[in-house]
């Protein structure tokens, strides 16, 4: 097991009726900004429950945070924070709203120039933030209990290499300027939520597609921390496997029976545990599938889970030799597949993973979204732009390998 430090300061309030307790978690004299996405939290009563808990407090609202929260919208919220002298943020929504709130909390206190540098610096330089908590309404990203966020920016003028599809030529390429979308991540311990309310009842009105997104998202978060190479971190491996097995059981049940409280509760806790730092402590981590997936979202508008359902099987297939030991363990412990022919066992595990994603309604090939082979160099060019030239658990996933993964996913 690798050395590690682990601390998670987020207080979790789990279960029915816990929204009523937020008044005890927010200072009584706070000037509160409630941040949310569309109108679903109003329609399903979650906003009303939050306001009831904060009756008599100084509260204003900011809605309209998009899926893949956009920088321009978030900066509008930052302006409100400054104008209204907000001292506490309350995010009500899924991962996008919570990620956006993390950025707002940091950008409102940022004094080092353009707040977009928070993304380009991967969160370095954040010293102070507006304190915040959250009420989760969509189990998926785990943002409610971690220090990570992913932010998009539309119509940004950027310079890209004129991709040729051969990594050996990337360094010598002429650059060209174009309007493009960017999707970047940042991390900083300052943006852990102070508290997170996880009430499964808030998720009952979600469309099945969003539940499916959450299941795939959580499953892939676990895989990125698990499917690397063995370091004898036996407890973390078992934790990771238990989350995946629970997603295959209660996740599917929750997808099929949306009003089953127990399965929805287990799904919600799985999604949180998948990315709160616990299973990733003391183990190598990959995240190359996420890096490639972010570019697919930015360039083609695919949902996050859609990109992962495409890229992860390709990653497994292309990198099966370096991931062999853990792939065999994954096949045995998660899918119950064993045999003397190790290549066949690995392929069967990949096939089971694909079938799992497809059972939730996800396509697992780029062609389903009309993305063609000739567009793959453009994806590699954006990876290069964002410095993703040696990613993965060994730092050996080059642009050529990224292209190979994408071709495998065609």
């Amino acid at each position: 097991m690798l050395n590690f430090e682990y601390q998670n300061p987020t207080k979790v309030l789990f279960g029915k009726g816990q929204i009523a307790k937020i008044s005890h978690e927010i200072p009584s004299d706070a000037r509160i900004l409630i941040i949310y996405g569309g109108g679903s939290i109003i329609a399903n009563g979650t906003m009303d429950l939050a306001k009831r808990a904060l009756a008599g407090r100084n509260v204003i609202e900011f809605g309209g945070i998009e899926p893949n929260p956009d920088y321009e919208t978030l900066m509008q919220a930052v302006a409100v924070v400054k104008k209204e002298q907000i001292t506490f943020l309350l995010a009500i929504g899924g991962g996008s709203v919570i990620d956006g709130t993390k950025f707002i909390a940091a950008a409102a206190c940022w004094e080092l120039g353009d707040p977009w540098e928070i993304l380009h610096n991967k969160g370095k330089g954040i010293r102070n933030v507006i304190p915040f908590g959250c009420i989760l309404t969509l189990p998926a990203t785990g943002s409610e209990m971690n220090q990570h966020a992913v932010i998009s920016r539309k119509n940004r003028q950027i310079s890209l290499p004129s991709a040729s599809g051969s990594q050996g030529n990337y360094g010598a390429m002429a650059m060209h300027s174009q309007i493009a979308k960017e999707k970047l991540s940042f991390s900083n311990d300052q943006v852990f939520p102070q508290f997170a309310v996880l009430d499964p009842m808030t998720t009952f009105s979600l469309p099945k597609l969003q539940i499916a997104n959450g299941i795939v998202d959580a499953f892939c978060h676990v895989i990125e921390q698990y499917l690397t190479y063995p370091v004898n971190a036996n407890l973390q491996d078992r934790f990771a496997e238990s989350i995946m097995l629970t997603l295959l059981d209660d996740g599917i049940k929750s997808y099929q029976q949306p009003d089953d409280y127990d399965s929805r509760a287990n799904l919600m806790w799985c999604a949180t545990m998948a990315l709160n730092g616990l299973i990733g402590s003391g183990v190598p981590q990959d995240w190359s599938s996420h890096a490639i997936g972010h570019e697919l979202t930015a360039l083609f508008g695919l949902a996050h889970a859609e990109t992962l359902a495409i890229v992860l099987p390709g990653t497994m297939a292309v990198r099966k030799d370096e991931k062999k030991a853990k792939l065999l363990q994954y096949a045995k412990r998660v899918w119950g597949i064993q045999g003397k022919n190790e290549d066949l066992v690995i392929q069967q595990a990949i096939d089971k993973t694909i079938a799992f994603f497809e059972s939730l309604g996800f396509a697992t090939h780029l062609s389903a979204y009309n993305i063609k082979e000739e567009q793959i160099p453009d994806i590699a060019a954006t990876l290069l732009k964002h410095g993703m030239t040696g990613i993965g658990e060994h730092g050996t996933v080059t642009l050529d390998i990224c292209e190979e993964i994408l071709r495998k996913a065609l």
Side-chain angles (χ1 to χ4, degrees):
M1 190 188 308
L2 307 179
N3 291 355
F4 67 90
E5 297 179 10
Y6 179 70
Q7 180 178 357
N8 195 310
T10 302
K11 179 178 180 178
V12 174
L13 305 171
F14 192 99
K16 298 177 184 178
Q18 296 284 44
I19 293 174
K21 296 182 179 180
I22 62 174
S23 61
H24 304 301
E25 307 299 328
I26 302 174
S28 59
D29 61 347
R31 295 177 61 84
I32 305 165
L33 180 65
I34 294 178
I35 300 170
Y36 63 99
S40 62
I41 68 163
I42 298 172
N44 68 15
T46 305
M47 176 69 89
D48 184 59
L49 290 173
K51 285 184 174 181
R52 199 178 306 165
L54 298 173
R57 303 292 187 92
N58 193 327
V59 178
I60 61 175
E61 303 170 19
F62 184 93
I65 305 297
E66 310 90 345
N68 300 306
D70 184 65
Y71 173 80
E72 303 299 336
T73 303
L74 301 178
M75 288 305 295
Q76 293 174 28
V78 170
V80 173
V81 169
K82 293 180 177 180
K83 178 182 177 182
E84 300 293 338
Q85 299 181 325
I86 296 299
T87 61
F88 198 94
L89 307 176
L90 177 62
I92 306 180
S96 291
V97 172
I98 300 171
D99 280 10
T101 301
K102 291 176 180 180
F103 178 81
I104 294 164
C109 301
W110 185 254
E111 298 178 346
L112 301 178
D114 184 356
W116 188 245
E117 291 303 310
I118 293 171
L119 279 302
H120 279 287
N121 294 336
K122 300 294 184 183
K124 294 178 181 177
I126 296 174
R127 296 291 179 264
N128 298 297
V129 302
I130 304 293
F132 69 98
C134 60
I135 298 172
L136 181 67
T137 63
L138 172 59
T141 70
S143 187
E144 64 277 3
M145 200 179 178
N146 68 39
Q147 73 279 44
H148 313 300
V150 182
I151 307 299
S152 297
R153 190 170 186 179
K154 301 173 184 176
N155 303 320
R156 177 166 166 78
Q157 189 83 25
I158 64 172
S159 295
L160 288 175
S162 300
S164 68
S166 170
Q167 186 186 354
N169 295 328
Y170 281 115
M173 285 182 181
M175 306 295 285
H176 69 278
S177 182
Q178 70 177 57
I179 299 294
K181 296 179 182 179
E182 288 189 280
K183 183 175 181 179
L184 302 177
S185 62
F186 76 93
S187 298
N188 190 287
D189 285 352
Q190 294 290 325
V191 296
F192 274 103
Q194 291 194 348
F195 66 85
V197 176
L198 278 63
D199 181 348
M201 299 295 291
T202 67
T203 72
F204 277 20
S205 62
L206 289 170
K208 290 184 71 174
L209 175 60
Q210 288 188 300
I211 293 301
N213 281 336
I215 296 167
V216 171
D217 201 359
F219 192 89
C220 292
H221 285 162
V222 176
I223 286 286
E224 294 275 31
Q225 300 165 87
Y226 170 83
L227 199 63
T228 55
Y229 57 88
V231 292
N232 292 312
N234 297 327
L235 184 58
Q236 286 91 323
D237 278 0
R238 293 294 190 184
F239 278 153
E241 290 155 4
S242 70
I243 294 172
M244 287 188 282
L245 288 167
T246 305
L247 288 169
L248 291 172
D249 184 3
D250 284 295
I252 293 295
K253 188 183 297 182
S254 180
Y255 176 71
Q256 295 173 341
Q257 303 173 32
D259 58 351
D260 184 276
Y261 179 86
D262 288 331
S263 62
R264 188 59 58 87
N266 282 311
L267 168 59
M268 184 172 252
W269 191 226
C270 277
T272 299
M273 291 295 290
L275 200 58
N276 66 1
L278 182 63
I279 65 170
S281 297
V283 299
Q285 300 184 31
D286 185 350
W287 299 108
S288 60
S289 293
H290 270 67
I292 298 170
H294 285 170
E295 303 305 343
L296 293 177
T297 295
L299 290 171
F300 305 106
L302 275 66
H304 183 53
E306 290 175 335
T307 71
L308 296 175
I310 293 168
V311 177
L312 181 62
T315 296
M316 289 177 168
V318 170
R319 300 179 59 207
K320 63 182 180 181
D321 290 338
E322 61 184 294
K323 292 179 178 290
K324 185 174 184 178
K326 292 301 286 283
L327 274 167
L328 291 170
Q329 180 176 305
Y330 169 70
K332 178 181 179 181
R333 295 186 182 178
V334 176
W335 297 110
I337 302 170
Q338 299 183 70
K340 293 182 179 180
N341 187 329
E342 293 180 340
D343 288 338
L344 179 60
V345 168
I346 289 172
Q347 186 56 55
Q348 288 175 339
I350 296 172
D351 291 342
K352 283 282 191 180
T353 306
I354 292 171
F356 169 50
F357 293 158
E358 291 180 346
S359 74
L360 293 168
F362 287 91
T364 53
H365 297 281
L366 291 169
S367 57
Y369 300 96
N370 201 32
I371 300 173
K372 299 179 173 58
E373 185 169 7
E374 55 265 30
Q375 294 171 288
I376 289 177
D378 293 331
I379 303 169
T382 60
L383 286 164
L384 175 61
K385 168 67 181 178
H386 296 139
M388 302 294 178
T389 56
I391 53 181
E393 62 268 34
H394 296 293
T396 55
V397 181
T398 62
L399 296 174
D400 282 342
I401 292 175
C402 289
E403 290 195 20
E404 186 179 355
I405 290 169
L406 289 165
R407 284 193 295 271
K408 188 72 175 178
L410 285 169

